[in-house]
Amino acid sequence: MAQNDTPTPSHFIRDIIEEHNKINRFGGKVITRFPPEPNGYLHIGHAKAICLDFGMAKEYGGRCHLRFDDTNPTKEEQEYVDSIMEDVRWLGFDWGKHLYFASDYFDRLYDYAVQLIKAGKAYVDDLSADEIREYRGTLTAPGKGSPYRNRSVEENLDLFARMRAGEFPDGSKTLRAKIDMASPNLNMRDPVMYRIRKAEHHRTGDKWCIYPMYDWAHGQSDSIEGITHSMCTLEYEDHRPLYDWYLDQLGIHHPQQIEFARLNLTYTLMSKRRLLTLVEKGHVTGWDDPRMPTLAGLRRRGYTPEAIRDFCERIGVAKSNSTVDIALLEHCLREDLNKRAPRMMAVLRPLKLVIENYPEDQVEELEAVNNPEDPSAGTRQAPFSRVLYIEQDDFRENPPKKYFRLFPGNEVRLRYAYIVKCTGVVKDEKTGEIIEVRCTYDPATKSGSGQEGKKVKGTIHWVSAAQAIPAEVRLYDHLFTKPNPDEVEGGQDFTVNINSNSLETLPSSRLEPSLAGATPGNFYQFERQGYFCVDAKDSSSARLVFNRTVTLRDTWAKIEKKDGK
Ligand code: ATP
Ligand code: MG
């Protein structure tokens, strides 16, 4: 049980493990694995699987392996292996010495295949991929046996050895399991176990020219590692009978496979293939683009591992597919950052504010609270002077109704400072654009002085122009315009739903000087603007770049309130 005051709600996987422990199915052991294919970066959906695989093992005093299911030589790369290890560690999990690769088992898998051939349970087929598909039949029509199905054991052993030795061209032969061409489960209609592919593998080099199919490798890899509970997503439910068949034929350790619903999120796509398309077609700047649902992207955006783990805990584990509102993920993030992010003042779209009656060369250090949620975070000094920057949005020459910020004749409080009254504006002679707002201040209204004087309706943030640090600030919106990015008209693909306004770059923001030492990995709340972090890739001492992690508007909290949760 999790070590906090609210007990973790149970779920069916925990129930299954409890039952196994009760009947002593695996001697009380819980050994799980997270088995990514290294053909892309991990995404938030993988985080759900990681939290479950590592979480269950930890909860029951077992262990979780990290195993790369690297059976496909042409799509897999070391870059992906490295990023996956980095991301799992970042999320807070540790596989210890239990790092494995399915490719380490290629010899054993080959021997297992020979064992099946000898038992008359596998044969070498000369049908092409297209013919195999045609012979397989459909959900309503049974398949028919390949003409090569009844080759003798000797012939199959000889051909399989020669396949391995590289005697035959790619695609000319396969090794297939001999199961049942009339099975209602298409996976059982003599599935392919090996194909010939003369391709270099990222770990085994050119040692092999035949490669095991995922379905042939996966269950046996679990078995070899002594996995007890093999958790995977629902689409593998129909493959379980096949995995069971292989293990039973071979007579080796038999893990329990348990399927759960994959995570789907609104405004988000999670297939690695689609994410690769976004990267390759240049719709994003890379796998770690802060708009990507990859762990690398979320990290760069400013997401914390704590928030992601909390999210995975809250969504729970179920047996039927559903889509989670992305507002919940953002809510978990706000809850985490609210507790620990220091508040700062930053003006994203600056407009000059000149205080006419403030002494020209005076600079006051004003006390600002670091985090109202955390008194131990203390206070800091913010310089105040005659020329400030405020947000363009906080001034209107012609204010709409209920506008309580600055406009000619109106008064507002400058956060941690004084009340100022707007006296007029200066406009660019040519364009008519407002380039400066003028005001006067009332020295008797200093914040925290005990004599703040009258109350005003608006409080706005500011930075002192001379001391402010210039920065580029990047604001993000969802990468897709539709809650379901897959919703397209006939013939279109998901890229038509890409949000062309998902990134807004503000090149001339101004930050209060306390942010001078900001480095990646620190989180801040810019008052009234949201949570921000330094961009780990593009920021430098010469040019600070901040990402907005998330705004302050919590739509999820509103939904919860409305539902009376
Ligand atoms: P994708 O469809 O995104 O390419 P995948 O299933 O092919 O994902 P793998 O690398 O095979 O990716 O996944 C490793 C593990 O993560 C598997 O156990 C898989 O079931 C799980 N997983 C993948 N996507 C999700 C998801 N959206 N929600 C929960 N678990 C997932
Ligand atoms: Mg997969």
Side-chain angles (χ1 to χ4, degrees), residues 33-50 52-53 67-69 84 214 218 230-236 260-265 269-275 315 321:
R33 85 291 170 262
F34 173 62
E37 187 184 344
N39 61 348
Y41 280 57
L42 297 180
H43 52 61
I44 181 77
H46 291 114
K48 175 179 178 177
I50 293 168
L52 187 63
D53 293 330
R67 182 180 70 245
F68 288 95
D69 270 340
I84 289 169
Y214 180 87
H218 188 76
S230 172
M231 292 170 269
C232 61
T233 36
L234 282 178
E235 65 271 24
Y236 292 103
F260 63 93
R262 56 196 298 127
L263 169 67
N264 299 303
L265 263 189
L269 276 181
M270 269 190 255
S271 124
K272 280 183 282 185
R273 196 168 43 83
R274 266 35 155 335
L275 297 179
I315 54 175
N321 281 315

Side-chain angles (χ1 to χ4, degrees), residues 70 99-108 203-204:
D70 54 350
L99 173 66
Y100 302 107
F101 292 83
S103 54
D104 290 342
Y105 310 139
F106 281 175
D107 283 294
R108 297 233 347 231
R203 296 193 83 234
T204 58

Side-chain angles (χ1 to χ4, degrees), residues 158-174:
D158 173 61
L159 287 173
F160 188 48
R162 288 164 60 196
M163 274 169 69
R164 176 187 186 169
E167 282 189 31
F168 309 115
D170 284 15
S172 62
K173 284 185 175 25
T174 56

Side-chain angles (χ1 to χ4, degrees), residues 8-20:
T8 316
S10 202
H11 53 64
F12 76 99
I13 295 183
R14 201 176 269 121
D15 295 343
I16 292 173
I17 294 176
E18 299 269 346
E19 179 61 22
H20 286 163

